[in-house]
Amino acid sequence: MSQWSQRKQGHIEAVLSGTVNARTVDAGFDGLRFEHCALPEVDLHDIDLSVGFLGKTLRRPFLISSMTGGHRDAAGINAVLAEAAQTLGIALGVGSQRVALSGGGFQGTDLSLRRIAPDAALYGNVGAGQLREYGADHMQRAVDMIGADALIIHLNPLQEALQANGDTRWSGLLARLEQVCTQLPVPVIVKEVGFGISGAVAKRLAGCGVAAVDVAGAGGTSWSAVEGWLSDDSQRAQMAEMYRDWGIPTATALRQVRAVLPDLPLIASGGIRHGLDAAKAIALGAQLVGQAGPLLRAAIDGIEPLLAHFAALEQGLRLACFATGSRDLAALRDAPRLDGTFMPAGPGQV
């Protein structure tokens, strides 16, 4: 097993341990309160949760966030995730395809996912650090190997800096990213891994042609804590623990990005606990809401626990729409809040 495959296995084990979440920072949704509507004038089951995103209509505004790839165990997990995506009409982002691109085998990221989920929105995934060694032709390979509708490029500088032999060469990557956005025939989504994307960074990303941003804020799984969990170097582990709660809370990142980029398609992930958090993320400007860790823990036990998890997530979101008198997600975005503010959707976003 390659060192990359071992690391990917370690990532799965760390998340499943339940000990690597942020501790003193949360995603920031508790401070937002909707104004209750005692006369909703809508039937609960008639509420429309569909959303258009990057040219595809999803039946529910959920993304299975990137988490598994590059290890033999990922194949079985991704098959369960793909089945759920197809059944529910939601989006699926695969884990890093670095191992597959380096010739280490597909490890759960091959065309079998597209056969399981022929209609789902399926997103490939490559780390920004790989843009130094791989050009647009390799990015196209990542898309082709799973029949992807878009390619996610993830940003993880702090995580890399906390790894033994991690890649800390991050100068010049924006220009390489722009080349990929220009040459790749599918949309490029850029995400963090749980430390958040600020409004200023999102503006630079949009300027180089990125089609959507996943703010992936702080408040859920801490990849600093994951690296500390994996480290056999006590000093490195202490440094990772120091940065366990680093980052921009998800709600803050959403506000920042939407303020400077009112029309950019956004995904909210990082510390989304339930359907009410999902509703609040949508009210703050997200089109899709992503989860990773909770879904991994459900998917380990098969498709039924995973579908049950999504049923609860959907019901929580649907109730928020009902209790604010929102017939669809566009109306939810404009629903009054007790602080008297709201963030209207940009044209054509929902």
Side-chain angles (χ1 to χ4, degrees), residues 53-54 188 190 197 202-203 205-207 209-214 257-258 260-267 285-287 346-347 349:
F53 190 76
L54 299 183
V188 172
V190 170
I197 291 179
K203 195 169 183 179
L205 294 171
V210 168
V213 164
D214 181 347
V257 178
R258 186 51 75 220
V260 297
L261 295 165
D263 299 329
L264 183 71
L266 290 185
I267 302 168
Q287 281 70 53
Q349 284 183 358

Side-chain angles (χ1 to χ4, degrees), residues 52-302:
F53 190 76
L54 299 183
K56 200 156 189 168
T57 299
L58 282 66
R59 299 204 304 273
R60 296 164 177 86
F62 301 141
L63 166 67
I64 300 172
S65 293
S66 305
M67 53 183 158
T68 52
H71 181 261
R72 60 179 179 271
D73 292 344
I77 297 169
N78 276 348
V80 172
L81 297 174
E83 184 180 352
Q86 175 67 20
T87 300
L88 299 172
I90 62 177
L92 167 62
V94 302
S96 173
Q97 295 172 269
R98 179 180 186 178
V99 173
L101 288 174
S102 67
F106 290 109
Q107 308 280 18
T109 52
D110 59 26
L111 284 172
S112 66
L113 295 181
R114 181 50 82 191
R115 289 191 288 271
I116 295 169
D119 306 309
L122 190 57
Y123 305 147
N125 179 12
V126 177
Q130 278 69 74
L131 297 180
R132 290 194 178 280
E133 50 186 315
Y134 298 141
D137 55 336
H138 287 88
M139 301 301 107
Q140 186 65 56
R141 279 181 54 203
V143 168
D144 292 343
M145 72 172 63
I146 61 170
D149 298 294
L151 180 67
I152 294 171
I153 295 180
H154 66 264
L155 309 177
N156 63 336
L158 181 57
Q159 182 191 6
E160 290 284 349
L162 291 168
Q163 289 179 17
N165 303 313
D167 189 353
T168 56
R169 302 167 303 153
W170 281 71
S171 59
L173 289 183
L174 191 64
R176 293 173 184 268
L177 177 61
E178 184 171 13
Q179 289 179 341
V180 171
C181 291
T182 300
Q183 298 175 25
L184 207 62
V186 300
V188 172
I189 303 166
V190 170
K191 74 180 298 288
E192 239 284 350
V193 298
F195 300 109
I197 291 179
S198 67
V201 169
K203 195 169 183 179
R204 291 161 63 196
L205 294 171
C208 73
V210 168
V213 164
D214 181 347
V215 298
T221 300
S222 166
W223 285 90
S224 174
V226 169
E227 295 303 334
W229 192 92
L230 290 173
S231 181
D232 56 8
D233 180 315
S234 61
Q235 186 173 11
R236 189 179 298 277
Q238 288 175 6
M239 189 67 68
E241 183 61 27
M242 183 191 304
Y243 281 87
R244 175 187 284 265
D245 294 318
W246 180 267
I248 308 168
T250 303
T252 302
L254 283 171
R255 288 185 174 98
Q256 284 192 16
V257 178
R258 186 51 75 220
V260 297
L261 295 165
D263 299 329
L264 183 71
L266 290 185
I267 302 168
S269 67
I272 303 292
R273 299 163 297 182
H274 41 57
L276 182 53
D277 277 355
K280 291 176 180 181
I282 290 167
L284 289 175
Q287 281 70 53
L288 299 186
V289 179
Q291 286 186 313
L295 303 184
L296 178 58
R297 288 186 281 273
I300 287 292
D301 293 324

